[in-house]
Amino acid sequence: MLFRPHLPDTPHLPTTSATQHQVQAPAPPAGRSLTPYAGAVAAVVVVGIVLTALLAAVAVTAISVAIAAVVLRSLVTGANRR
C-alpha cells in the first residue's frame, strides 16, 4: 500500500478504580401481561390511519376544487372577451 494513515500517539491516563453504583429501575412483575394494552394500541393505530385518510381526501378535494375554479375562471374571462 502506498498510503498508510498514521494515528497520533494518545497519552495514557492512569486508570483509577472508582466504583460507581448504578440504580436500576425495578422490573415489572413477571405475572403482569401487556396484552390489555394491545387493544388500546390497535385502536390508536386505526384512528391514526383513518384520520390520515380523511386528511388526504380533504387535500385531494381542495386541489380538485382549485383546478375547477381556475378552469371556470378562464372560460368565463374567455367568453367575455369575445
Side-chain angles (χ1 to χ4, degrees):
M1 297 283 166
L2 293 175
F3 298 107
R4 291 191 124 168
H6 178 65
L7 299 176
D9 295 331
T10 57
H12 296 288
L13 298 175
T15 58
T16 57
S17 60
T19 58
Q20 295 178 354
H21 297 286
Q22 295 179 352
V23 178
Q24 294 181 350
R32 189 173 176 187
S33 173
L34 294 178
T35 53
Y37 300 115
V41 170
V44 168
V45 169
V46 168
V47 168
I49 290 172
V50 168
L51 289 177
T52 304
L54 287 173
L55 181 65
V58 168
V60 168
T61 303
I63 292 171
S64 300
V65 168
I67 290 172
V70 168
V71 169
L72 285 174
R73 182 178 175 190
S74 67
L75 288 175
V76 168
T77 57
N80 287 340
R81 291 183 184 173
R82 291 182 198 177

